[in-house]
Amino acid sequence: LLNTQLQRHGILPIDSLNKPFNPLHHEAIAHISSSEPEGTVIDEVAKGYTMNEKVIRYAKVAVSKRN
């Protein structure tokens, strides 16, 4: 119900998991060693949102790094 109301006003969640890190949509709060390609979002701590394609809250994410 809430998501429907948010979408009606143009507010959409940012899809972050398993996507390349994008500083225009993400805030990296951790770098974690992983077998994933470097710079891949491997965990989402807080969901980000856009309103009419403008970021109103950045997604707080953990990003993979190579050893």
Side-chain angles (χ1 to χ4, degrees):
L1 183 64
L2 179 60
N3 286 340
T4 305
Q5 291 296 322
L6 292 175
Q7 287 178 4
R8 190 188 273 165
H9 293 285
I11 299 173
L12 299 171
I14 296 172
D15 185 27
S16 300
L17 280 178
N18 301 315
K19 304 277 195 247
F21 175 76
N22 180 348
L24 299 176
H25 292 138
H26 304 126
E27 178 183 347
I29 61 169
H31 289 88
I32 300 174
S33 295
S34 172
S35 61
E36 294 292 324
E38 189 164 336
T40 301
V41 174
I42 57 173
D43 190 22
E44 184 176 57
V45 177
K47 197 81 168 150
Y49 294 92
T50 61
M51 181 176 191
N52 300 322
E53 299 183 18
K54 181 179 179 186
V55 175
I56 57 174
R57 184 169 106 175
Y58 292 94
K60 293 179 183 352
V61 298
V63 181
S64 65
K65 72 172 183 176
R66 293 285 180 157
N67 286 335

mmCIF file of all heavy atoms in Angstrom, residues 6-57:
data_model
loop_
_atom_site.group_PDB
_atom_site.id
_atom_site.type_symbol
_atom_site.label_atom_id
_atom_site.label_comp_id
_atom_site.label_asym_id
_atom_site.label_seq_id
_atom_site.Cartn_x
_atom_site.Cartn_y
_atom_site.Cartn_z
ATOM 1 N N LEU A 6 3.826 5.766 -2.912
ATOM 2 C CA LEU A 6 5.112 6.371 -3.266
ATOM 3 C C LEU A 6 5.298 6.391 -4.782
ATOM 4 O O LEU A 6 5.705 7.403 -5.354
ATOM 5 C CB LEU A 6 6.258 5.617 -2.589
ATOM 6 C CG LEU A 6 6.338 5.732 -1.067
ATOM 7 C CD1 LEU A 6 7.439 4.830 -0.531
ATOM 8 C CD2 LEU A 6 6.551 7.159 -0.631
ATOM 9 N N GLN A 7 4.996 5.271 -5.430
ATOM 10 C CA GLN A 7 5.131 5.200 -6.883
ATOM 11 C C GLN A 7 4.201 6.182 -7.573
ATOM 12 O O GLN A 7 4.554 6.765 -8.596
ATOM 13 C CB GLN A 7 4.861 3.786 -7.372
ATOM 14 C CG GLN A 7 5.969 2.830 -7.047
ATOM 15 C CD GLN A 7 5.666 1.414 -7.497
ATOM 16 O OE1 GLN A 7 4.645 1.147 -8.116
ATOM 17 N NE2 GLN A 7 6.563 0.487 -7.165
ATOM 18 N N ARG A 8 3.039 6.394 -7.012
ATOM 19 C CA ARG A 8 2.082 7.340 -7.584
ATOM 20 C C ARG A 8 2.676 8.758 -7.624
ATOM 21 O O ARG A 8 2.356 9.554 -8.488
ATOM 22 C CB ARG A 8 0.804 7.331 -6.763
ATOM 23 C CG ARG A 8 -0.331 8.095 -7.411
ATOM 24 C CD ARG A 8 -1.502 8.219 -6.491
ATOM 25 N NE ARG A 8 -2.393 7.079 -6.595
ATOM 26 C CZ ARG A 8 -3.330 6.804 -5.705
ATOM 27 N NH1 ARG A 8 -3.459 7.550 -4.624
ATOM 28 N NH2 ARG A 8 -4.145 5.801 -5.880
ATOM 29 N N HIS A 9 3.562 9.050 -6.670
ATOM 30 C CA HIS A 9 4.207 10.363 -6.608
ATOM 31 C C HIS A 9 5.599 10.371 -7.240
ATOM 32 O O HIS A 9 6.362 11.319 -7.059
ATOM 33 C CB HIS A 9 4.289 10.833 -5.156
ATOM 34 C CG HIS A 9 2.944 11.117 -4.564
ATOM 35 N ND1 HIS A 9 2.227 12.249 -4.873
ATOM 36 C CD2 HIS A 9 2.177 10.394 -3.717
ATOM 37 C CE1 HIS A 9 1.069 12.217 -4.226
ATOM 38 N NE2 HIS A 9 1.007 11.096 -3.523
ATOM 39 N N GLY A 10 5.932 9.305 -7.954
ATOM 40 C CA GLY A 10 7.201 9.259 -8.679
ATOM 41 C C GLY A 10 8.387 8.840 -7.836
ATOM 42 O O GLY A 10 9.525 9.023 -8.249
ATOM 43 N N ILE A 11 8.145 8.283 -6.647
ATOM 44 C CA ILE A 11 9.239 7.847 -5.776
ATOM 45 C C ILE A 11 9.461 6.346 -5.994
ATOM 46 O O ILE A 11 8.568 5.539 -5.772
ATOM 47 C CB ILE A 11 8.919 8.145 -4.298
ATOM 48 C CG1 ILE A 11 8.750 9.651 -4.117
ATOM 49 C CG2 ILE A 11 10.015 7.594 -3.390
ATOM 50 C CD1 ILE A 11 8.266 10.071 -2.754
ATOM 51 N N LEU A 12 10.682 6.014 -6.421
ATOM 52 C CA LEU A 12 11.021 4.627 -6.735
ATOM 53 C C LEU A 12 12.292 4.216 -6.007
ATOM 54 O O LEU A 12 13.212 5.022 -5.847
ATOM 55 C CB LEU A 12 11.238 4.462 -8.241
ATOM 56 C CG LEU A 12 10.045 4.792 -9.136
ATOM 57 C CD1 LEU A 12 10.460 4.798 -10.593
ATOM 58 C CD2 LEU A 12 8.933 3.788 -8.900
ATOM 59 N N PRO A 13 12.390 2.940 -5.580
ATOM 60 C CA PRO A 13 13.625 2.461 -4.952
ATOM 61 C C PRO A 13 14.734 2.311 -5.989
ATOM 62 O O PRO A 13 14.473 2.046 -7.164
ATOM 63 C CB PRO A 13 13.229 1.111 -4.367
ATOM 64 C CG PRO A 13 12.054 0.676 -5.158
ATOM 65 C CD PRO A 13 11.351 1.921 -5.602
ATOM 66 N N ILE A 14 15.970 2.494 -5.549
ATOM 67 C CA ILE A 14 17.134 2.291 -6.413
ATOM 68 C C ILE A 14 17.531 0.827 -6.329
ATOM 69 O O ILE A 14 17.726 0.294 -5.239
ATOM 70 C CB ILE A 14 18.307 3.190 -5.966
ATOM 71 C CG1 ILE A 14 17.932 4.665 -6.127
ATOM 72 C CG2 ILE A 14 19.566 2.860 -6.763
ATOM 73 C CD1 ILE A 14 18.933 5.632 -5.538
ATOM 74 N N ASP A 15 17.639 0.165 -7.471
ATOM 75 C CA ASP A 15 18.063 -1.233 -7.534
ATOM 76 C C ASP A 15 19.588 -1.267 -7.481
ATOM 77 O O ASP A 15 20.247 -0.790 -8.403
ATOM 78 C CB ASP A 15 17.548 -1.866 -8.821
ATOM 79 C CG ASP A 15 17.842 -3.350 -8.916
ATOM 80 O OD1 ASP A 15 17.972 -3.993 -7.849
ATOM 81 O OD2 ASP A 15 17.949 -3.853 -10.034
ATOM 82 N N SER A 16 20.163 -1.785 -6.394
ATOM 83 C CA SER A 16 21.604 -1.686 -6.184
ATOM 84 C C SER A 16 22.348 -3.017 -6.185
ATOM 85 O O SER A 16 23.466 -3.084 -6.694
ATOM 86 C CB SER A 16 21.885 -0.997 -4.843
ATOM 87 O OG SER A 16 21.347 0.297 -4.822
ATOM 88 N N LEU A 17 21.767 -4.059 -5.592
ATOM 89 C CA LEU A 17 22.492 -5.314 -5.404
ATOM 90 C C LEU A 17 22.994 -5.903 -6.713
ATOM 91 O O LEU A 17 22.277 -5.951 -7.711
ATOM 92 C CB LEU A 17 21.602 -6.341 -4.704
ATOM 93 C CG LEU A 17 21.476 -6.184 -3.200
ATOM 94 C CD1 LEU A 17 20.522 -7.229 -2.640
ATOM 95 C CD2 LEU A 17 22.809 -6.258 -2.507
ATOM 96 N N ASN A 18 24.263 -6.341 -6.673
ATOM 97 C CA ASN A 18 24.938 -6.981 -7.805
ATOM 98 C C ASN A 18 25.086 -6.068 -9.015
ATOM 99 O O ASN A 18 25.277 -6.541 -10.134
ATOM 100 C CB ASN A 18 24.228 -8.290 -8.198
ATOM 101 C CG ASN A 18 24.179 -9.265 -7.050
ATOM 102 O OD1 ASN A 18 25.163 -9.465 -6.354
ATOM 103 N ND2 ASN A 18 23.030 -9.848 -6.825
ATOM 104 N N LYS A 19 25.003 -4.766 -8.791
ATOM 105 C CA LYS A 19 25.212 -3.786 -9.858
ATOM 106 C C LYS A 19 26.562 -3.098 -9.623
ATOM 107 O O LYS A 19 27.062 -3.069 -8.502
ATOM 108 C CB LYS A 19 24.116 -2.715 -9.832
ATOM 109 C CG LYS A 19 22.711 -3.254 -9.920
ATOM 110 C CD LYS A 19 22.346 -3.512 -11.349
ATOM 111 C CE LYS A 19 20.863 -3.687 -11.480
ATOM 112 N NZ LYS A 19 20.340 -4.897 -11.838
ATOM 113 N N PRO A 20 27.154 -2.509 -10.659
ATOM 114 C CA PRO A 20 28.387 -1.748 -10.445
ATOM 115 C C PRO A 20 28.117 -0.540 -9.546
ATOM 116 O O PRO A 20 27.050 0.074 -9.624
ATOM 117 C CB PRO A 20 28.781 -1.289 -11.854
ATOM 118 C CG PRO A 20 28.017 -2.159 -12.779
ATOM 119 C CD PRO A 20 26.781 -2.581 -12.058
ATOM 120 N N PHE A 21 29.096 -0.222 -8.698
ATOM 121 C CA PHE A 21 28.981 0.953 -7.828
ATOM 122 C C PHE A 21 28.861 2.206 -8.688
ATOM 123 O O PHE A 21 29.603 2.398 -9.631
ATOM 124 C CB PHE A 21 30.210 1.061 -6.913
ATOM 125 C CG PHE A 21 30.218 2.293 -6.075
ATOM 126 C CD1 PHE A 21 29.407 2.389 -4.964
ATOM 127 C CD2 PHE A 21 31.017 3.371 -6.415
ATOM 128 C CE1 PHE A 21 29.400 3.538 -4.181
ATOM 129 C CE2 PHE A 21 31.022 4.511 -5.638
ATOM 130 C CZ PHE A 21 30.214 4.602 -4.523
ATOM 131 N N ASN A 22 27.895 3.048 -8.366
ATOM 132 C CA ASN A 22 27.670 4.288 -9.087
ATOM 133 C C ASN A 22 27.573 5.412 -8.056
ATOM 134 O O ASN A 22 26.599 5.478 -7.308
ATOM 135 C CB ASN A 22 26.377 4.195 -9.906
ATOM 136 C CG ASN A 22 26.083 5.461 -10.677
ATOM 137 O OD1 ASN A 22 26.690 6.499 -10.467
ATOM 138 N ND2 ASN A 22 25.131 5.376 -11.583
ATOM 139 N N PRO A 23 28.565 6.305 -7.997
ATOM 140 C CA PRO A 23 28.540 7.366 -6.982
ATOM 141 C C PRO A 23 27.371 8.336 -7.145
ATOM 142 O O PRO A 23 27.082 9.096 -6.230
ATOM 143 C CB PRO A 23 29.879 8.069 -7.155
ATOM 144 C CG PRO A 23 30.331 7.724 -8.526
ATOM 145 C CD PRO A 23 29.745 6.378 -8.841
ATOM 146 N N LEU A 24 26.687 8.294 -8.268
ATOM 147 C CA LEU A 24 25.519 9.153 -8.451
ATOM 148 C C LEU A 24 24.290 8.588 -7.742
ATOM 149 O O LEU A 24 23.305 9.302 -7.529
ATOM 150 C CB LEU A 24 25.215 9.337 -9.937
ATOM 151 C CG LEU A 24 26.318 10.002 -10.763
ATOM 152 C CD1 LEU A 24 25.933 10.036 -12.237
ATOM 153 C CD2 LEU A 24 26.622 11.394 -10.243
ATOM 154 N N HIS A 25 24.337 7.283 -7.386
ATOM 155 C CA HIS A 25 23.201 6.628 -6.720
ATOM 156 C C HIS A 25 23.562 5.978 -5.390
ATOM 157 O O HIS A 25 22.674 5.671 -4.604
ATOM 158 C CB HIS A 25 22.592 5.547 -7.617
ATOM 159 C CG HIS A 25 21.925 6.103 -8.820
ATOM 160 N ND1 HIS A 25 22.052 5.533 -10.061
ATOM 161 C CD2 HIS A 25 21.141 7.187 -8.988
ATOM 162 C CE1 HIS A 25 21.363 6.241 -10.934
ATOM 163 N NE2 HIS A 25 20.797 7.244 -10.311
ATOM 164 N N HIS A 26 24.867 5.715 -5.173
ATOM 165 C CA HIS A 26 25.287 4.940 -4.012
ATOM 166 C C HIS A 26 26.253 5.724 -3.127
ATOM 167 O O HIS A 26 27.033 6.531 -3.614
ATOM 168 C CB HIS A 26 26.004 3.656 -4.458
ATOM 169 C CG HIS A 26 25.204 2.804 -5.361
ATOM 170 N ND1 HIS A 26 25.665 2.389 -6.587
ATOM 171 C CD2 HIS A 26 23.959 2.289 -5.238
ATOM 172 C CE1 HIS A 26 24.755 1.632 -7.177
ATOM 173 N NE2 HIS A 26 23.703 1.570 -6.379
ATOM 174 N N GLU A 27 26.205 5.395 -1.830
ATOM 175 C CA GLU A 27 27.198 5.863 -0.872
ATOM 176 C C GLU A 27 27.869 4.615 -0.312
ATOM 177 O O GLU A 27 27.213 3.781 0.326
ATOM 178 C CB GLU A 27 26.532 6.649 0.251
ATOM 179 C CG GLU A 27 27.492 7.119 1.308
ATOM 180 C CD GLU A 27 26.800 7.833 2.447
ATOM 181 O OE1 GLU A 27 25.610 8.192 2.325
ATOM 182 O OE2 GLU A 27 27.450 8.008 3.480
ATOM 183 N N ALA A 28 29.170 4.459 -0.581
ATOM 184 C CA ALA A 28 29.898 3.281 -0.103
ATOM 185 C C ALA A 28 30.245 3.476 1.369
ATOM 186 O O ALA A 28 30.914 4.439 1.728
ATOM 187 C CB ALA A 28 31.160 3.067 -0.924
ATOM 188 N N ILE A 29 29.769 2.570 2.205
ATOM 189 C CA ILE A 29 30.086 2.663 3.626
ATOM 190 C C ILE A 29 31.049 1.557 4.049
ATOM 191 O O ILE A 29 31.532 1.575 5.172
ATOM 192 C CB ILE A 29 28.812 2.646 4.497
ATOM 193 C CG1 ILE A 29 28.035 1.354 4.307
ATOM 194 C CG2 ILE A 29 27.941 3.846 4.200
ATOM 195 C CD1 ILE A 29 26.942 1.170 5.325
ATOM 196 N N ALA A 30 31.340 0.616 3.140
ATOM 197 C CA ALA A 30 32.287 -0.458 3.443
ATOM 198 C C ALA A 30 32.829 -1.045 2.145
ATOM 199 O O ALA A 30 32.152 -1.026 1.120
ATOM 200 C CB ALA A 30 31.616 -1.553 4.254
ATOM 201 N N HIS A 31 34.076 -1.519 2.220
ATOM 202 C CA HIS A 31 34.680 -2.292 1.138
ATOM 203 C C HIS A 31 34.984 -3.670 1.703
ATOM 204 O O HIS A 31 35.633 -3.780 2.744
ATOM 205 C CB HIS A 31 35.964 -1.624 0.635
ATOM 206 C CG HIS A 31 35.713 -0.379 -0.130
ATOM 207 N ND1 HIS A 31 35.607 0.850 0.465
ATOM 208 C CD2 HIS A 31 35.521 -0.166 -1.448
ATOM 209 C CE1 HIS A 31 35.370 1.761 -0.445
ATOM 210 N NE2 HIS A 31 35.304 1.173 -1.626
ATOM 211 N N ILE A 32 34.524 -4.713 1.037
ATOM 212 C CA ILE A 32 34.648 -6.078 1.540
ATOM 213 C C ILE A 32 35.342 -6.946 0.499
ATOM 214 O O ILE A 32 35.000 -6.891 -0.688
ATOM 215 C CB ILE A 32 33.251 -6.661 1.866
ATOM 216 C CG1 ILE A 32 32.575 -5.791 2.928
ATOM 217 C CG2 ILE A 32 33.359 -8.103 2.312
ATOM 218 C CD1 ILE A 32 31.150 -6.165 3.220
ATOM 219 N N SER A 33 36.316 -7.733 0.950
ATOM 220 C CA SER A 33 36.983 -8.670 0.043
ATOM 221 C C SER A 33 35.958 -9.672 -0.463
ATOM 222 O O SER A 33 35.174 -10.214 0.310
ATOM 223 C CB SER A 33 38.105 -9.411 0.774
ATOM 224 O OG SER A 33 39.109 -8.514 1.153
ATOM 225 N N SER A 34 35.989 -9.908 -1.781
ATOM 226 C CA SER A 34 34.979 -10.768 -2.382
ATOM 227 C C SER A 34 35.499 -11.352 -3.683
ATOM 228 O O SER A 34 36.434 -10.819 -4.292
ATOM 229 C CB SER A 34 33.718 -9.951 -2.649
ATOM 230 O OG SER A 34 32.777 -10.684 -3.398
ATOM 231 N N SER A 35 34.880 -12.432 -4.116
ATOM 232 C CA SER A 35 35.219 -13.023 -5.414
ATOM 233 C C SER A 35 34.487 -12.315 -6.551
ATOM 234 O O SER A 35 34.744 -12.580 -7.717
ATOM 235 C CB SER A 35 34.869 -14.515 -5.415
ATOM 236 O OG SER A 35 33.481 -14.677 -5.202
ATOM 237 N N GLU A 36 33.549 -11.431 -6.201
ATOM 238 C CA GLU A 36 32.834 -10.642 -7.215
ATOM 239 C C GLU A 36 33.810 -9.661 -7.874
ATOM 240 O O GLU A 36 34.817 -9.298 -7.282
ATOM 241 C CB GLU A 36 31.697 -9.847 -6.567
ATOM 242 C CG GLU A 36 30.589 -10.689 -5.997
ATOM 243 C CD GLU A 36 29.785 -11.398 -7.066
ATOM 244 O OE1 GLU A 36 29.578 -10.826 -8.154
ATOM 245 O OE2 GLU A 36 29.378 -12.540 -6.812
ATOM 246 N N PRO A 37 33.507 -9.201 -9.086
ATOM 247 C CA PRO A 37 34.367 -8.186 -9.709
ATOM 248 C C PRO A 37 34.461 -6.945 -8.817
ATOM 249 O O PRO A 37 33.496 -6.567 -8.152
ATOM 250 C CB PRO A 37 33.636 -7.858 -11.020
ATOM 251 C CG PRO A 37 32.778 -9.045 -11.289
ATOM 252 C CD PRO A 37 32.408 -9.608 -9.945
ATOM 253 N N GLU A 38 35.633 -6.343 -8.803
ATOM 254 C CA GLU A 38 35.848 -5.165 -7.962
ATOM 255 C C GLU A 38 34.875 -4.051 -8.341
ATOM 256 O O GLU A 38 34.619 -3.802 -9.516
ATOM 257 C CB GLU A 38 37.288 -4.660 -8.110
ATOM 258 C CG GLU A 38 37.626 -3.583 -7.118
ATOM 259 C CD GLU A 38 39.117 -3.359 -6.996
ATOM 260 O OE1 GLU A 38 39.901 -4.265 -7.300
ATOM 261 O OE2 GLU A 38 39.479 -2.245 -6.592
ATOM 262 N N GLY A 39 34.307 -3.416 -7.324
ATOM 263 C CA GLY A 39 33.383 -2.322 -7.562
ATOM 264 C C GLY A 39 31.929 -2.744 -7.680
ATOM 265 O O GLY A 39 31.079 -1.933 -8.006
ATOM 266 N N THR A 40 31.634 -4.004 -7.371
ATOM 267 C CA THR A 40 30.257 -4.497 -7.418
ATOM 268 C C THR A 40 29.594 -4.310 -6.057
ATOM 269 O O THR A 40 30.201 -4.574 -5.030
ATOM 270 C CB THR A 40 30.232 -5.994 -7.791
ATOM 271 O OG1 THR A 40 30.856 -6.168 -9.054
ATOM 272 C CG2 THR A 40 28.810 -6.527 -7.854
ATOM 273 N N VAL A 41 28.362 -3.856 -6.053
ATOM 274 C CA VAL A 41 27.609 -3.714 -4.809
ATOM 275 C C VAL A 41 27.222 -5.114 -4.337
ATOM 276 O O VAL A 41 26.513 -5.831 -5.037
ATOM 277 C CB VAL A 41 26.351 -2.840 -5.014
ATOM 278 C CG1 VAL A 41 25.506 -2.822 -3.752
ATOM 279 C CG2 VAL A 41 26.739 -1.431 -5.429
ATOM 280 N N ILE A 42 27.716 -5.495 -3.136
ATOM 281 C CA ILE A 42 27.442 -6.850 -2.645
ATOM 282 C C ILE A 42 26.507 -6.858 -1.438
ATOM 283 O O ILE A 42 26.031 -7.914 -1.044
ATOM 284 C CB ILE A 42 28.746 -7.605 -2.324
ATOM 285 C CG1 ILE A 42 29.598 -6.846 -1.314
ATOM 286 C CG2 ILE A 42 29.519 -7.885 -3.594
ATOM 287 C CD1 ILE A 42 30.817 -7.615 -0.841
ATOM 288 N N ASP A 43 26.246 -5.705 -0.852
ATOM 289 C CA ASP A 43 25.291 -5.633 0.253
ATOM 290 C C ASP A 43 24.682 -4.238 0.279
ATOM 291 O O ASP A 43 25.350 -3.252 -0.024
ATOM 292 C CB ASP A 43 25.980 -5.928 1.583
ATOM 293 C CG ASP A 43 25.002 -6.094 2.732
ATOM 294 O OD1 ASP A 43 23.811 -6.392 2.485
ATOM 295 O OD2 ASP A 43 25.432 -5.934 3.888
ATOM 296 N N GLU A 44 23.414 -4.184 0.622
ATOM 297 C CA GLU A 44 22.707 -2.908 0.718
ATOM 298 C C GLU A 44 22.277 -2.715 2.173
ATOM 299 O O GLU A 44 21.446 -3.457 2.674
ATOM 300 C CB GLU A 44 21.498 -2.926 -0.217
ATOM 301 C CG GLU A 44 20.753 -1.639 -0.283
ATOM 302 C CD GLU A 44 19.632 -1.703 -1.298
ATOM 303 O OE1 GLU A 44 18.759 -2.594 -1.176
ATOM 304 O OE2 GLU A 44 19.636 -0.881 -2.209
ATOM 305 N N VAL A 45 22.859 -1.728 2.826
ATOM 306 C CA VAL A 45 22.567 -1.476 4.233
ATOM 307 C C VAL A 45 21.300 -0.635 4.377
ATOM 308 O O VAL A 45 20.492 -0.872 5.259
ATOM 309 C CB VAL A 45 23.772 -0.788 4.911
ATOM 310 C CG1 VAL A 45 23.476 -0.457 6.357
ATOM 311 C CG2 VAL A 45 25.012 -1.675 4.791
ATOM 312 N N ALA A 46 21.135 0.352 3.497
ATOM 313 C CA ALA A 46 19.934 1.196 3.508
ATOM 314 C C ALA A 46 19.505 1.445 2.072
ATOM 315 O O ALA A 46 20.324 1.774 1.213
ATOM 316 C CB ALA A 46 20.201 2.515 4.217
ATOM 317 N N LYS A 47 18.225 1.256 1.812
ATOM 318 C CA LYS A 47 17.655 1.434 0.475
ATOM 319 C C LYS A 47 17.731 2.898 0.058
ATOM 320 O O LYS A 47 17.525 3.792 0.873
ATOM 321 C CB LYS A 47 16.189 0.987 0.512
ATOM 322 C CG LYS A 47 15.602 0.730 -0.829
ATOM 323 C CD LYS A 47 16.019 -0.631 -1.275
ATOM 324 C CE LYS A 47 15.240 -1.081 -2.479
ATOM 325 N NZ LYS A 47 16.016 -1.962 -3.307
ATOM 326 N N GLY A 48 18.014 3.133 -1.207
ATOM 327 C CA GLY A 48 18.007 4.483 -1.758
ATOM 328 C C GLY A 48 16.756 4.696 -2.589
ATOM 329 O O GLY A 48 16.118 3.739 -3.034
ATOM 330 N N TYR A 49 16.408 5.965 -2.789
ATOM 331 C CA TYR A 49 15.186 6.298 -3.533
ATOM 332 C C TYR A 49 15.421 7.469 -4.482
ATOM 333 O O TYR A 49 16.227 8.348 -4.209
ATOM 334 C CB TYR A 49 14.050 6.659 -2.566
ATOM 335 C CG TYR A 49 13.605 5.497 -1.730
ATOM 336 C CD1 TYR A 49 14.170 5.248 -0.482
ATOM 337 C CD2 TYR A 49 12.637 4.619 -2.194
ATOM 338 C CE1 TYR A 49 13.770 4.160 0.277
ATOM 339 C CE2 TYR A 49 12.234 3.527 -1.437
ATOM 340 C CZ TYR A 49 12.809 3.314 -0.210
ATOM 341 O OH TYR A 49 12.416 2.230 0.530
ATOM 342 N N THR A 50 14.668 7.430 -5.593
ATOM 343 C CA THR A 50 14.640 8.553 -6.513
ATOM 344 C C THR A 50 13.225 9.105 -6.577
ATOM 345 O O THR A 50 12.257 8.382 -6.333
ATOM 346 C CB THR A 50 15.062 8.130 -7.943
ATOM 347 O OG1 THR A 50 14.155 7.142 -8.427
ATOM 348 C CG2 THR A 50 16.485 7.604 -7.974
ATOM 349 N N MET A 51 13.136 10.380 -6.888
ATOM 350 C CA MET A 51 11.831 11.012 -7.104
ATOM 351 C C MET A 51 11.905 11.715 -8.443
ATOM 352 O O MET A 51 12.718 12.632 -8.616
ATOM 353 C CB MET A 51 11.506 12.008 -6.001
ATOM 354 C CG MET A 51 10.168 12.682 -6.157
ATOM 355 S SD MET A 51 9.880 13.741 -4.735
ATOM 356 C CE MET A 51 8.173 14.122 -4.981
ATOM 357 N N ASN A 52 11.102 11.238 -9.378
ATOM 358 C CA ASN A 52 11.126 11.778 -10.742
ATOM 359 C C ASN A 52 12.548 11.778 -11.294
ATOM 360 O O ASN A 52 13.015 12.768 -11.841
ATOM 361 C CB ASN A 52 10.507 13.170 -10.775
ATOM 362 C CG ASN A 52 9.065 13.159 -10.317
ATOM 363 O OD1 ASN A 52 8.319 12.225 -10.613
ATOM 364 N ND2 ASN A 52 8.671 14.169 -9.574
ATOM 365 N N GLU A 53 13.246 10.641 -11.097
ATOM 366 C CA GLU A 53 14.594 10.381 -11.600
ATOM 367 C C GLU A 53 15.687 11.188 -10.909
ATOM 368 O O GLU A 53 16.833 11.164 -11.334
ATOM 369 C CB GLU A 53 14.659 10.563 -13.116
ATOM 370 C CG GLU A 53 13.734 9.612 -13.848
ATOM 371 C CD GLU A 53 13.826 9.731 -15.349
ATOM 372 O OE1 GLU A 53 14.818 10.280 -15.853
ATOM 373 O OE2 GLU A 53 12.892 9.258 -16.007
ATOM 374 N N LYS A 54 15.388 11.910 -9.836
ATOM 375 C CA LYS A 54 16.392 12.633 -9.054
ATOM 376 C C LYS A 54 16.559 11.907 -7.724
ATOM 377 O O LYS A 54 15.575 11.558 -7.071
ATOM 378 C CB LYS A 54 15.951 14.073 -8.810
ATOM 379 C CG LYS A 54 16.965 14.859 -8.037
ATOM 380 C CD LYS A 54 16.533 16.285 -7.831
ATOM 381 C CE LYS A 54 17.610 16.982 -7.018
ATOM 382 N NZ LYS A 54 17.231 18.322 -6.646
ATOM 383 N N VAL A 55 17.815 11.668 -7.320
ATOM 384 C CA VAL A 55 18.078 10.953 -6.069
ATOM 385 C C VAL A 55 17.642 11.809 -4.884
ATOM 386 O O VAL A 55 18.041 12.964 -4.757
ATOM 387 C CB VAL A 55 19.572 10.588 -5.942
ATOM 388 C CG1 VAL A 55 19.854 9.948 -4.589
ATOM 389 C CG2 VAL A 55 19.994 9.646 -7.061
ATOM 390 N N ILE A 56 16.793 11.217 -4.038
ATOM 391 C CA ILE A 56 16.395 11.919 -2.818
ATOM 392 C C ILE A 56 17.019 11.257 -1.586
ATOM 393 O O ILE A 56 17.080 11.863 -0.523
ATOM 394 C CB ILE A 56 14.858 12.003 -2.663
ATOM 395 C CG1 ILE A 56 14.205 10.633 -2.680
ATOM 396 C CG2 ILE A 56 14.270 12.897 -3.742
ATOM 397 C CD1 ILE A 56 12.712 10.655 -2.377
ATOM 398 N N ARG A 57 17.477 10.010 -1.728
ATOM 399 C CA ARG A 57 18.255 9.349 -0.684
ATOM 400 C C ARG A 57 19.179 8.345 -1.354
ATOM 401 O O ARG A 57 18.728 7.459 -2.080
ATOM 402 C CB ARG A 57 17.356 8.632 0.322
ATOM 403 C CG ARG A 57 18.178 8.037 1.469
ATOM 404 C CD ARG A 57 17.310 7.576 2.585
ATOM 405 N NE ARG A 57 17.265 6.116 2.554
ATOM 406 C CZ ARG A 57 16.651 5.396 3.470
ATOM 407 N NH1 ARG A 57 15.993 5.970 4.440
ATOM 408 N NH2 ARG A 57 16.671 4.093 3.396
#
